């Protein structure tokens, strides 16, 4: 059976059980966190970008060159390059690197859930479809940046420790540049929730305005840029993703207002989390013309659901219980959807693999990956391409 699916269903059961049997919630969480950690750390060759990241890892030079080209002219970002070089200096194979990375990410996730939620298994369950499946398993650089944001930067934001917050964001952004958008939160901290909702409406208006062909043409003529052209013309709106974000954000925002109106005692940190979460919706609406850009830059705020939603949904009010049922069903659906996407985009379906029989390949049986996908056949070509890319910093710096 698909172990990713099995653990996901156990998380769903654990989230329900800890709600109705809170005396056992620490034991439930410990088992669920342990299973997720083992699943993440001991996998081999799985995740849509695993093979590419292995090639990147093995192509990065061991010697750190302090030229400007090394730091600013190469991809991926410098934090990732230095981290890979550190592990390679100790001759660690890529699976050791991903195991260490996975453990660090799970510890960071543990820190934020322990610090800000009482029902931590529910937080793991909500984090599974997007943070775990899409980023921690596949998008390794952005997954690490997100976990650093949650585990280190988020407490600084909530405690208004701005210098430490900025430093931690710069650290996270050294692994993936999408993290720079988190630098907006010190401004958001001082805005009211009503202003944030007004910005959501304004973002929707701008996003819709960009659907007009004449407007897109005028923008490109005024600001000619390849990346702007790619954003305006090489993508399309994902109506499903847009609807999911609108509905999820509407439910959480409405629940927050209802709980306040009903006299429920809510901590200031919950409102701060809500305002940060609304930033994600603003970004998605602004960028909805291109679902690739919208998802990449809005997802860095969507991961806050694993904290914010738990804090709101676990209240005793009827509205909270109804919203909890909605989010439970939505999370189940999104988890199954994203696991299917991982199978499809990893070309496992070509070997008659489906959601139920998707094989878990561990570091102890690495050769088994070739039974399901042409891993050994594809890897040399990807490695050669990455080796060429890693030489670009020498050319940019004029050292060759």
């Amino acid at each position: 059976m698909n172990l990713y699916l099995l653990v996901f269903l156990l998380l769903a059961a654990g989230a329900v059980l800890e709600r109705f049997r809170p005396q056992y919630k620490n034991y439930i969480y410990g088992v669920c966190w342990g299973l997720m950690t083992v699943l993440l750390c001991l996998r081999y060759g799985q995740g849509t970008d695993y093979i590419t990241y292995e090639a990147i890892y093995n192509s990065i030079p061991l010697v750190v060159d302090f030229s400007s080209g090394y730091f600013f002219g190469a991809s991926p970002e410098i934090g990732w390059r230095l981290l890979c070089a550190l592990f390679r200096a100790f001759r660690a194979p890529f699976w050791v690197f991903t195991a260490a990375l996975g453990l660090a990410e799970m510890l960071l996730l543990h820190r934020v859930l322990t610090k800000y939620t009482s029902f931590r298994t529910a937080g793991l369950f909500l984090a599974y479809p997007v943070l775990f499946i899409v980023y921690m398993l596949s998008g390794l650089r952005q997954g690490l940046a997100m976990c650093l944001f949650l585990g280190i930067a988020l407490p600084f934001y909530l405690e208004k420790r701005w210098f430490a917050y900025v430093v931690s964001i710069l650290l996270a952004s050294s692994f993936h540049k999408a993290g720079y958008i988190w630098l907006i939160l010190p401004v958001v901290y001082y805005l009211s929730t009503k202003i944030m909702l007004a910005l959501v409406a304004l973002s929707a208006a701008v996003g819709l305005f960009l659907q007009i062909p004449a407007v897109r043409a005028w923008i490109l003529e005024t600001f000619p840029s390849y990346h702007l052209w790619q954003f305006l013309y090489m993508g399309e709106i994902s109506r499903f993703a847009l609807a999911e974000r609108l509905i999820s954000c509407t439910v959480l925002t409405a629940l927050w207002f209802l709980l306040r109106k009903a006299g429920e005692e809510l901590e200031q940190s919950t409102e701060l989390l809500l305002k940060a979460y609304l930033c994600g919706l603003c970004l998605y609406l602004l960028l909805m013309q291109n679902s690739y850009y919208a998802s990449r830059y809005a997802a860095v705020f969507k991961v806050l659901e694993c904290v914010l939603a738990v804090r709101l949904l676990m209240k005793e009010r009827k509205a909270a219980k109804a919203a909890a049922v909605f989010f439970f069903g939505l999370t189940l659906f999104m988890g199954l959807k994203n696991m299917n996407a991982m199978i499809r985009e990893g070309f496992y379906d070509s070997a008659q693999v489906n959601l139920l029989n998707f094989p878990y390949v561990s570091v102890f049986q690495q050769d088994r990956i070739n039974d399901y996908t042409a891993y050994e056949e594809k890897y040399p070509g990807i490695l050669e391409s990455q080796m060429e890319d890693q030489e670009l910093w020498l050319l940019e710096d004029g050292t060759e």
Side-chain angles (χ1 to χ4, degrees):
M1 182 179 179
N2 181 354
L3 289 183
Y4 297 103
L5 176 60
L6 180 60
V7 170
F8 183 48
L9 296 178
L10 287 173
L11 286 173
V16 174
L17 189 59
E18 75 169 353
R19 179 67 178 82
F20 294 101
R21 292 291 185 272
Q23 66 270 32
Y24 301 120
K25 64 182 181 181
N26 289 336
Y27 300 105
I28 296 168
Y29 171 76
V31 170
C32 290
W33 184 89
L35 288 173
M36 280 182 68
T37 303
V38 170
L39 197 69
L40 178 64
C41 294
L42 297 185
R43 81 195 190 283
Y44 179 80
Q46 297 191 314
T48 55
D49 296 329
Y50 187 100
I51 189 170
T52 301
Y53 274 112
E54 182 173 9
I56 291 173
Y57 177 81
N58 287 320
S59 66
I60 286 177
L62 292 177
V63 178
V64 177
D65 188 302
F66 288 95
S67 64
S68 61
Y70 185 93
F71 280 88
F72 302 108
S75 179
E77 286 79 349
I78 189 60
W80 186 262
R81 292 173 64 83
L82 293 175
L83 185 62
C84 290
L86 174 64
F87 273 80
R88 291 198 67 211
F90 290 95
R91 301 183 182 276
F94 183 64
W95 65 265
V96 171
F97 174 74
T98 57
L101 186 69
L103 179 59
E105 289 173 334
M106 288 302 299
L107 288 172
L108 289 166
L109 186 56
H110 167 75
R111 184 173 191 265
V112 72
L113 293 178
T114 301
K115 195 173 180 67
Y116 296 111
T117 65
S118 297
F119 296 91
R120 294 173 292 173
T121 305
L124 292 177
F125 175 60
L126 289 168
Y128 200 89
V130 176
L131 179 59
F132 188 80
I133 291 293
V134 178
Y135 293 104
M136 293 168 70
L137 273 173
S138 298
L140 304 188
R141 289 187 297 125
Q142 195 162 355
L144 177 58
M146 288 177 174
C147 289
L148 286 168
F149 169 68
L150 289 173
I152 297 177
L154 186 62
F156 294 141
Y157 161 68
L158 297 176
E159 297 164 12
K160 203 165 62 170
R161 297 169 59 185
W162 299 132
F163 179 77
Y165 177 78
V166 170
V167 171
S168 61
I169 292 302
L170 293 178
L171 172 64
S173 301
S174 75
F175 295 102
H176 198 285
K177 60 188 175 183
Y180 286 116
I181 198 66
W182 287 315
L183 291 173
I184 199 174
L185 288 188
V187 176
V188 171
Y189 185 98
Y190 296 99
L191 301 179
S192 69
T193 305
K194 290 183 179 179
I195 290 177
M196 288 304 303
L197 290 172
L199 290 175
V200 169
L202 179 61
S203 300
V206 173
L208 290 172
F209 195 58
L210 290 176
Q211 306 309 305
I212 303 173
V215 171
R216 297 203 299 273
W218 176 83
I219 291 173
L220 200 58
E221 288 175 5
T222 308
F223 307 100
S225 165
Y226 170 75
H227 292 292
L228 192 56
W229 172 81
Q230 190 176 45
F231 165 69
L232 292 172
Y233 290 100
M234 295 302 291
E236 59 183 15
I237 295 177
S238 172
R239 291 181 175 82
F240 174 82
L242 177 61
E244 187 270 329
R245 283 163 174 78
L246 282 171
I247 294 171
S248 297
C249 201
T250 299
V251 169
L252 290 179
T253 305
L255 180 58
W256 181 79
F257 276 109
L258 286 172
L259 291 173
R260 285 191 62 194
K261 187 176 181 180
E264 188 77 36
E265 186 177 345
L266 297 174
E267 297 178 358
Q268 182 192 18
S269 56
T270 302
E271 182 177 7
L272 292 172
L273 288 167
L274 177 62
K275 290 191 293 184
Y277 183 66
L278 287 170
C279 280
L281 183 58
C282 287
L283 279 171
Y284 198 92
L285 292 170
L286 282 171
L287 302 175
M288 62 180 174
Q289 168 65 28
N290 190 308
S291 61
Y292 172 79
Y293 285 96
S295 294
R296 169 160 291 197
Y297 288 98
V300 299
F301 292 105
K302 186 172 177 58
V303 293
L304 290 171
E305 279 181 356
C306 68
V307 179
L308 174 63
V310 174
R311 295 177 73 136
L312 293 173
L313 299 176
M314 292 303 179
K315 301 294 182 180
E316 293 296 333
R317 303 280 178 175
K318 289 183 178 179
K321 293 178 179 178
V325 172
F326 164 78
F327 262 91
F328 184 82
L330 179 64
T331 304
L332 279 175
F333 177 80
M334 292 300 297
L336 298 176
K337 172 183 173 296
N338 289 343
M339 273 185 273
N340 262 318
M342 181 175 71
I343 296 170
R344 184 178 65 254
E345 293 171 15
F347 304 104
Y348 293 101
D349 54 347
S350 62
Q352 290 77 49
V353 174
N354 57 48
L355 184 62
L356 293 178
N357 65 16
F358 183 67
Y360 179 79
V361 179
S362 76
V363 298
F364 304 111
Q365 46 181 197
Q366 298 178 16
D367 291 340
R368 188 164 169 252
I369 193 68
N370 296 295
D371 296 339
Y372 307 101
T373 183
Y375 198 92
E376 288 185 356
E377 181 180 328
K378 292 186 291 184
Y379 180 75
I382 296 174
L383 178 61
E384 182 180 358
S385 175
Q386 291 300 327
M387 292 292 288
E388 293 173 357
D389 289 344
Q390 295 305 328
E391 293 298 322
L392 289 179
W393 67 271
L394 293 173
L395 298 175
E396 287 197 19
D397 200 51
T399 55
E400 280 196 356

